[in-house]
Amino acid sequence: SRAEVAEARYHVLENQMRPHFLFNTLNSLAELIESGRKDAAETTYKLSNLYRRILDNSGLKTATLTSELAIVQDYLELEQLRFGERLNFQIRAPEHCEEIFLPSLMLQTLVENAVKHGIAPSVKGGEVLIEVLQIKDQYVVEVKISGAPLPMDLTAGTGLENTKARLGLLYGDRHDFQLQTNGQGQTVARFTFSGRQIV
């Protein structure tokens, strides 16, 4: 049936994400060790805890906004160890985060892309602003990056292709994904979601 095909495709997309996060995590750790940081051991534990959270959420179709923001915050704090003052971030979200569900690890994918393509190539670095807004009966996630402009063909990459495909499988035609530049010179990645739990 079409439902079974969609379910199988969803699991393929989900499984593609898991090693993606592991490789990025190990690369971050290797860079910290090579740079001779004294806090490499502490950082290893932080990375371990982060990846445990990622694994917990990777088995879910949707996860609470609380847990997803905790992953993003831990990830960005670890990246700040690498980038120092070149990376700043802000997170703005509604108070009732535990009652809002979004596709698991989708926000993390966008934030990783922001750091990789927006912060890392910029000599001055930049800021990542994550904002979750409620608009009528839906929610919008925006990841704004001030740094190097993200290439607009980035959506052809596996991570963002998976993002769009997963949104379609979860919400049908009631979803939207955009990657654009705004008037302030920021690159903005945004997607809409229902906020409801999907199991």
Side-chain angles (χ1 to χ4, degrees), residues 2-3 5-7 9-11 13 61-62 102-104 106 138 159-178 190-194 196 198:
R2 288 183 64 185
V5 170
E7 184 78 13
R9 187 171 177 222
Y10 185 89
H11 288 305
L13 296 174
K61 286 187 177 178
T62 57
L102 73 165
S104 62
M106 190 166 287
Q138 286 197 305
L160 295 190
E161 277 295 328
N162 282 359
T163 295
K164 291 192 291 184
R166 288 180 70 214
L167 284 167
L169 288 169
L170 286 170
Y171 305 115
D173 58 3
R174 293 206 67 201
H175 81 277
D176 184 38
F177 177 84
Q178 296 175 3
R190 73 194 307 265
F191 66 87
T192 56
F193 62 102
S194 70
R196 294 190 301 275
I198 298 172

Side-chain angles (χ1 to χ4, degrees), residues 71-112:
I71 287 171
V72 166
Q73 175 142 352
D74 285 352
Y75 167 76
L76 286 169
E77 286 176 356
L78 284 164
E79 288 292 57
Q80 278 184 323
L81 292 174
R82 274 205 304 153
F83 292 105
E85 294 180 357
R86 290 176 57 217
L87 171 60
N88 294 291
F89 71 90
Q90 290 185 59
I91 298 174
R92 299 175 187 162
E95 291 183 0
H96 55 294
C97 290
E98 196 61 39
E99 301 164 19
I100 302 169
F101 289 81
L102 73 165
S104 62
L105 304 180
M106 190 166 287
L107 177 56
Q108 174 68 9
T109 299
L110 296 183
V111 171
E112 281 197 27

Side-chain angles (χ1 to χ4, degrees), residues 38-72:
K38 294 178 181 177
D39 54 359
E42 180 187 347
T43 302
T44 304
Y45 291 123
K46 282 186 179 180
L47 283 167
S48 174
N49 288 332
L50 170 60
Y51 197 67
R52 188 174 292 110
R53 286 189 183 191
I54 286 171
L55 280 177
D56 286 344
N57 279 16
S58 70
L60 306 172
K61 286 187 177 178
T62 57
T64 65
L65 182 56
T66 301
S67 66
E68 291 290 302
L69 289 177
I71 287 171
V72 166

Side-chain angles (χ1 to χ4, degrees), residues 134-152:
Q134 183 170 5
I135 300 176
K136 296 182 181 176
D137 63 339
Q138 286 197 305
Y139 293 89
V140 175
V141 166
E142 286 191 345
V143 179
K144 296 180 182 174
I145 310 104
S146 63
L150 265 64
M152 288 298 118

